[in-house]
Amino acid sequence: MTLKDLIVRNCKLYFKDKGLFFSSLIAPIILFFLFVAFLGGVYKDSLLSVFEGVEIESRLVNGFAGGWLMSSLLAVSAVSIAFTANCVMVQDKMTDRYADFCVSPVKHYQLALGYYIATALVTLLVCSVALVVGYIYLAIVGWYLTFTDVVLTILDTVLLVLFGTSLSSIVCKFLKSQGGITAVEVIVSAAYGFLCGAYMPIASLADAIGKTLSFLPGTYGTSLLHEHFMGGAIDEICSGLAGGDVYAQRTREGFDCVISFFDNAVPEWACYLIISITVVLLIGLYILLVASPWKKRSKKVHSS
Amino acid sequence: MTEQAIFPEMGEEIVRAEGLRKTFTLSRKQQKIEKTGITRKTAVDGLSFSAYRGQIYGLLGPNGAGKTTTLRILSTLIRPDAGDAFVCGCSVLKEPQKVRDKIGFMTSELKLDGFFTPDYLFRFFGEMHGVDKDTIEKRKTELFSRFGIDKFAQVRVKDLSTGMKQKISLVVSIVHDPDVIIFDEPTNGLDVLTAKVVTDFLAELKNMGKSIILSTHIFSLVEKLCDRVSIIIDGKSVADGTLEDICAGDTLESKFFEIYKNVKGDEL
């Protein structure tokens, strides 16, 4: 009962605090406006330049670009929303509300679990809404997803939400000030989209940067979303072409549907393995961090 | 226990601190603020005292004396480096969960979530303390009515006055009807009206048979409320007893400075 109350309280705080709620949507909103302003056109032009001389119907091009938008939007949201949702934990520490919980009979692990589950639920809820809106949008502009793609996009989103929740829980465990929260929010909103290949395909970045980014597990989750949102459109475009498989593979590599680790294409199952293992490791690290409450609390110096 | 036997009129010993010691590491920033080169600071240095049921026990001392650290040890928020403390017979070191069941910890700082209503917060903290729903409702009706919160039960805390927020904060802290109430600097930073609300509240809690441990540097508060007091300087208890014992006919203020001068020399 206590855990449920903590989860409900943390979720309510996120949605009641309008500032918190809207700041978590900054990164997806930036991405959406970038797409409307010019990124959508850039991707359409890039696609058409790859298939120069081939007649591609506009619905297919829109479905491809829409797939890119949705996959990038979800990849960024899963992490940026998780970071902002976890600000509830930091604010509790800042205002010493955390002490009120600590002097109650609530177990320390329940507090940690309360923040973790609330963050995961909030992020999953917002991402689910984005996912449904995305499906509707793609159905309007160009739907090329199979039933399996739909199931896999849901699985990818869940995995990325768990990744974002675990990563943000660890980072936020060390934050104790408003300045810290703001800095992390700015970094995550501005930089994470680039780091995971949501704003620009990693394949289009300099080789050294691409190789560096391939060490970050988030890029593999983003790549899975790209593949499952855009793969159908790519296959459709290449289906009638001579050497269509080669074209499809190159297009996939060019738009991060297939990601490389030091020039070796990483298969889909390996992407799932990487992101799953990362989630498990991050959860393990978070458990280790919350396991020694006495030690951390005793460092604080008091005024009297 | 020995003291209890010698002074049976004091009643049941409810809190006992035994040789509490707590040392903190000072960061460079803290060293600069305190204008010192030392890296370790002893906040509490072998502190022992006893408080008895139905009484208000005060820890009186200047800022930095170790009062807050002592109260945070008693409330299980921090662990002492040495010594132990017992609340209703439960060790803060060995049975922190049992201690948490028996205490209410309050400060004058407002820590309420402004987005929630007093009604929600009371129920939420009641659940946190494992109080059943019927008891929560009963206590809510009783306490909200007693402190005039009932009219504002469904108003968001951020829309209420400071005095009302303080009342809600206090009421929420005792949702589980604790035997022992630990209050750090009860009137610190409060305006006169809100300070009166708090002091009246403490007196009322005492009349309800609660045992209260508070820290303060305000002499008048000790004189008004406390049955027994310990004067703390540099983490050590330098005087302990009833006001009559300590003051011996003098005012608490002049006695305090006399003791302070004896301990610290001419440093004032």
Side-chain angles (χ1 to χ4, degrees), chain B residues 157-177:
Chain B
V157 168
K158 68 174 182 177
D159 298 325
L160 296 171
S161 67
T162 308
M164 186 53 69
K165 283 179 191 166
Q166 193 66 49
K167 283 184 191 175
I168 296 160
S169 184
L170 298 175
V171 161
V172 161
S173 306
I174 55 161
V175 58
H176 54 303
D177 198 15

Side-chain angles (χ1 to χ4, degrees), chain A residues 123-171:
Chain A
T123 315
L124 199 60
L125 186 68
V126 180
C127 285
S128 300
V129 172
L131 201 57
V132 172
V133 172
Y135 291 145
I136 295 168
Y137 172 72
L138 287 178
I140 294 166
V141 299
W143 178 272
Y144 295 95
L145 273 69
T146 61
F147 175 74
T148 312
D149 286 336
V150 172
V151 173
L152 289 176
T153 50
I154 294 168
L155 175 66
D156 301 342
T157 306
V158 171
L159 277 174
L160 272 172
V161 165
L162 288 175
F163 169 71
T165 303
S166 311
L167 183 67
S168 62
S169 297
I170 290 167
V171 173

Side-chain angles (χ1 to χ4, degrees), chain B residues 116-120 144 147-157 159-161 164-165 167-168:
Chain B
F116 294 132
T117 63
D119 183 70
Y120 175 85
F144 276 25
F147 294 100
I149 302 169
D150 41 1
K151 283 169 272 178
F152 307 97
Q154 300 303 331
V155 180
R156 287 200 295 189
V157 168
D159 298 325
L160 296 171
S161 67
M164 186 53 69
K165 283 179 191 166
K167 283 184 191 175
I168 296 160

Side-chain angles (χ1 to χ4, degrees), chain B residues 187-217:
Chain B
T187 57
N188 208 16
L190 301 181
D191 68 83
V192 286
L193 292 176
T194 316
K196 182 165 172 27
V197 168
V198 173
T199 48
D200 289 351
F201 182 80
L202 286 171
E204 196 155 346
L205 286 172
K206 184 192 160 187
N207 292 337
M208 287 160 73
K210 302 295 175 193
S211 313
I212 300 160
I213 315 264
L214 59 85
S215 73
T216 187
H217 55 262

Side-chain angles (χ1 to χ4, degrees), chain A residues 1 3 14-15 22 36 41 47 88 97 112 121 134 165 224 248 259 266 268 292:
Chain A
M1 192 61 188
L3 181 62
Y14 171 81
F15 287 110
F22 285 112
V36 172
L47 181 75
V88 170
R97 278 179 211 134
L121 283 178
T165 303
L224 287 168
I259 205 154
V266 180
E268 199 172 300
S292 54

Side-chain angles (χ1 to χ4, degrees), chain A residues 6 61 68 77 93 104 130 151 171 178 191-192 198 223 234 254 284 299:
Chain A
L6 279 168
V61 177
W68 172 272
S77 302
K93 280 191 278 183
S104 74
V151 173
V171 173
Q178 187 59 47
Y192 183 73
S223 167
I234 293 171
K299 284 183 181 168

Side-chain angles (χ1 to χ4, degrees), chain B:
Chain B
M1 287 297 167
T2 318
E3 197 176 1
Q4 196 180 343
I6 296 168
F7 304 107
E9 71 280 7
M10 287 175 182
E12 183 194 347
E13 187 184 59
I14 203 103
V15 173
R16 188 171 79 241
E18 285 180 352
L20 291 178
R21 187 179 164 82
K22 183 70 193 173
T23 308
F24 293 111
T25 304
L26 292 180
S27 66
R28 282 192 183 166
K29 194 177 168 187
Q30 286 159 341
Q31 286 176 37
K32 267 188 186 175
I33 293 167
E34 300 209 1
K35 292 174 186 162
T36 176
I38 57 166
T39 54
R40 303 283 293 173
K41 180 184 176 177
T42 304
V44 179
D45 194 3
L47 190 66
S48 300
F49 64 86
S50 292
Y52 300 92
R53 185 178 289 282
Q55 293 190 352
I56 299 183
Y57 186 85
L59 299 176
L60 176 69
N63 286 345
K67 306 185 297 290
T68 298
T69 304
T70 305
L71 295 191
R72 290 178 84 97
I73 290 172
L74 290 179
S75 55
T76 75
L77 277 170
I78 52 175
R79 191 180 171 91
D81 298 333
D84 199 352
F86 300 87
V87 177
C88 302
C90 302
S91 158
V92 296
L93 282 174
K94 293 172 193 148
E95 302 154 293
Q97 285 297 127
K98 283 187 184 169
V99 171
R100 285 169 204 151
D101 278 333
K102 296 174 195 311
I103 61 162
F105 182 62
M106 305 185 220
T107 67
S108 56
E109 291 168 35
L110 291 168
K111 300 181 283 181
L112 304 169
D113 293 312
F115 298 102
F116 294 132
T117 63
D119 183 70
Y120 175 85
L121 285 169
F122 196 86
R123 276 189 285 114
F124 173 75
F125 277 97
E127 297 279 0
M128 289 298 102
H129 283 278
V131 184
D132 66 82
K133 281 193 171 64
D134 290 343
T135 311
I136 291 174
E137 285 307 313
K138 206 175 136 200
R139 280 196 55 79
K140 192 176 77 186
T141 309
E142 180 193 326
L143 289 168
F144 276 25
S145 150
R146 188 190 291 245
F147 294 100
I149 302 169
D150 41 1
K151 283 169 272 178
F152 307 97
Q154 300 303 331
V155 180
R156 287 200 295 189
V157 168
K158 68 174 182 177
D159 298 325
L160 296 171
S161 67
T162 308
M164 186 53 69
K165 283 179 191 166
Q166 193 66 49
K167 283 184 191 175
I168 296 160
S169 184
L170 298 175
V171 161
V172 161
S173 306
I174 55 161
V175 58
H176 54 303
D177 198 15
D179 288 333
V180 180
I181 291 144
I182 297 169
F183 208 148
D184 187 19
E185 303 278 6
T187 57
N188 208 16
L190 301 181
D191 68 83
V192 286
L193 292 176
T194 316
K196 182 165 172 27
V197 168
V198 173
T199 48
D200 289 351
F201 182 80
L202 286 171
E204 196 155 346
L205 286 172
K206 184 192 160 187
N207 292 337
M208 287 160 73
K210 302 295 175 193
S211 313
I212 300 160
I213 315 264
L214 59 85
S215 73
T216 187
H217 55 262
I218 301 169
F219 301 114
S220 60
L221 189 76
V222 175
E223 286 168 333
K224 188 177 173 186
L225 288 175
C226 295
D227 298 292
R228 290 167 56 82
V229 64
S230 174
I231 294 175
I232 305 204
I233 296 170
D234 291 340
K236 293 183 180 121
S237 175
V238 291
D240 188 352
T242 61
L243 281 175
E244 293 76 29
D245 291 342
I246 290 175
C247 297
D250 212 341
T251 63
L252 180 61
E253 184 173 352
S254 55
K255 195 70 192 175
F256 175 84
F257 286 116
E258 185 189 318
I259 292 169
Y260 191 86
K261 203 173 168 185
N262 287 340
V263 174
K264 302 279 281 186
D266 284 334
E267 266 184 63
L268 257 184

